[in-house]
Amino acid sequence: MLKSARKQGKADKDAEGRMPLVEHLRELRNRLLKSVLAILVITVISAFFYREIINFLLKPMLDSVGCRDGVVTQRNGQPCADMTVNGLISAFSIALKVSLMSGVVLSAPVWLYQLWAFAAPGLHSHEKKYARSFVAVGAPLFAAGAVLAYKILPQTAIIMLEFTPDHARNLLPVDDYLDLVSRMVIVFGLAFELPLLLILLNFTGVLTGKRLAGWWRGMVLGITVFAAFATPTGDPPTMLALALPIVALYFLALGICLLNDRRRRRNDPDAGLSDDEASELDLTPAPIGELESVSAPAALPGQADGGRQRINGYDDAT
């Protein structure tokens, strides 16, 4: 069932790798199934280590604002937070959330490869070698975004708990905290994939580097607005901690796209033309070389003088 649709429909596609719409949909289904299967396998494995994973996720929060050893205030005098589990089935739901989040994050190389494999047939044969590079770069980028979210959490908690009223204790449910962690890890990780997505669109011919360069103001503004909504606190330090790396990666992707466009123009001068735009024609006449004299045979047998003997004032038999 998970066999590639491109192998099943090999007889239906032409030499350029094009397939009917049904085959594309079948290929998309198979790629999604492989990605979901990888996530499920990692999720099941993570379920056996959910306690260690939960302790790892709670550590930065407990170190920054957690109440330990009967202490009820932070170092700055603000109230600390008690990590609580509410309800009979809350612990079980927490285990499921942690396992699923681990499955999505740890299986990133698999579903990133499936994404690239679905788009790779739109490339030339010599460009498909970038598939491994896509995964080799995409997985660390996703991990870098997740690590950044993990590092931002302590500062985020300190800022948020400053709004706690005086003489009040802050009870922080573990499931709410893990929802926040999951959202930040996935959002930050996917945000770091933006430059890779732009490069993918450029390599498949959908987006040119020149057009991408013309969007730089809107892209910087959009990244800043996105960072403001993605960070839970919205404070400038946390927002800039997310926006600045993404802006830097955007300009790095822009440089790669421009270099790729230059390479394409060098190999094919007409690569940048649209489908309804005619290429320039070279109408310069080519030299024809030296003329060669050709002797014409006699028109009639017996004609002499190079075949131009006049008969009754004419140069032919008429």
Side-chain angles (χ1 to χ4, degrees):
M1 181 179 63
L2 299 180
K3 186 178 181 181
S4 175
R6 293 194 173 95
K7 294 181 180 180
Q8 296 175 357
K10 188 174 182 180
D12 299 332
K13 65 180 182 180
D14 56 17
E16 297 182 359
R18 293 175 294 191
M19 295 188 300
L21 177 60
V22 175
E23 296 297 332
H24 277 292
L25 294 177
R26 184 178 298 139
E27 178 70 12
L28 177 61
R29 180 201 64 186
N30 291 344
R31 296 295 178 186
L32 288 176
L33 287 176
K34 291 178 181 178
S35 301
V36 172
L37 182 61
I39 293 175
L40 290 178
V41 171
I42 301 298
T43 298
V44 172
I45 296 175
S46 302
F48 292 97
F49 305 96
Y50 80 94
R51 290 185 181 273
E52 290 79 1
I53 299 174
I54 291 176
N55 293 333
F56 174 77
L57 296 176
L58 292 180
K59 186 178 185 304
M61 180 66 69
L62 293 174
D63 291 342
S64 60
V65 297
C67 297
R68 290 183 174 180
D69 301 328
V71 178
V72 296
T73 58
Q74 308 176 40
R75 295 178 182 177
N76 57 6
Q78 296 293 330
C80 62
D82 285 328
M83 310 297 291
T84 62
V85 177
N86 301 323
L88 181 62
I89 63 174
S90 294
F92 179 73
S93 62
I94 289 172
L96 290 180
K97 290 179 182 179
V98 170
S99 301
L100 182 59
M101 183 187 67
S102 302
V104 173
V105 173
L106 297 180
S107 64
V110 177
W111 52 261
L112 283 173
Y113 174 78
Q114 296 302 323
L115 173 63
W116 178 265
F118 179 74
L123 301 175
H124 297 290
S125 57
H126 64 280
E127 293 176 328
K128 295 180 181 179
K129 61 183 180 181
Y130 297 111
R132 294 181 179 177
S133 300
F134 179 87
V135 179
V137 175
L141 281 177
F142 189 90
V147 171
L148 179 61
Y150 182 78
K151 295 296 184 180
I152 287 178
L153 281 174
Q155 183 64 30
T156 300
I158 294 174
I159 295 175
M160 295 301 291
L161 288 183
E162 289 181 354
F163 295 94
T164 303
D166 296 335
H167 310 292
R169 299 189 62 180
N170 196 310
L171 301 180
L172 182 59
V174 176
D175 52 349
D176 291 346
Y177 168 74
L178 292 177
D179 288 340
L180 176 63
V181 174
S182 303
R183 183 167 66 250
M184 289 186 62
V185 166
I186 294 176
V187 169
F188 277 47
L190 292 179
F192 271 56
E193 298 295 327
L194 171 64
L196 209 58
L197 175 62
L198 297 177
I199 294 175
L200 172 63
L201 294 176
N202 177 260
F203 273 45
T204 53
V206 178
L207 184 64
T208 62
K210 182 178 179 180
R211 178 176 297 180
L212 183 61
W215 294 348
W216 75 269
R217 294 179 180 86
M219 291 294 295
V220 172
L221 178 61
I223 291 172
T224 305
V225 173
F226 168 79
F229 282 96
T231 53
T233 60
D235 61 288
T238 306
M239 183 182 67
L240 291 177
L242 175 61
L244 291 180
I246 300 178
V247 171
L249 291 173
Y250 160 73
F251 282 107
L252 177 61
L254 174 60
I256 295 176
C257 293
L258 292 175
L259 291 177
N260 183 55
D261 289 347
R262 181 182 300 180
R263 178 187 61 83
R264 282 182 172 175
R265 287 193 300 268
R266 185 172 59 250
N267 297 335
D268 183 9
D270 301 331
L273 300 177
S274 60
D275 295 338
D276 56 352
E277 185 177 0
S279 60
E280 295 183 2
L281 298 179
D282 187 5
L283 302 179
T284 304
I288 60 176
E290 298 181 358
L291 298 178
E292 298 181 1
S293 58
V294 180
S295 59
L300 294 175
Q303 283 185 337
D305 194 16
R308 298 187 61 82
Q309 181 182 11
R310 293 181 177 274
I311 303 176
N312 296 330
Y314 299 96
D315 58 356
D316 55 10
T318 59

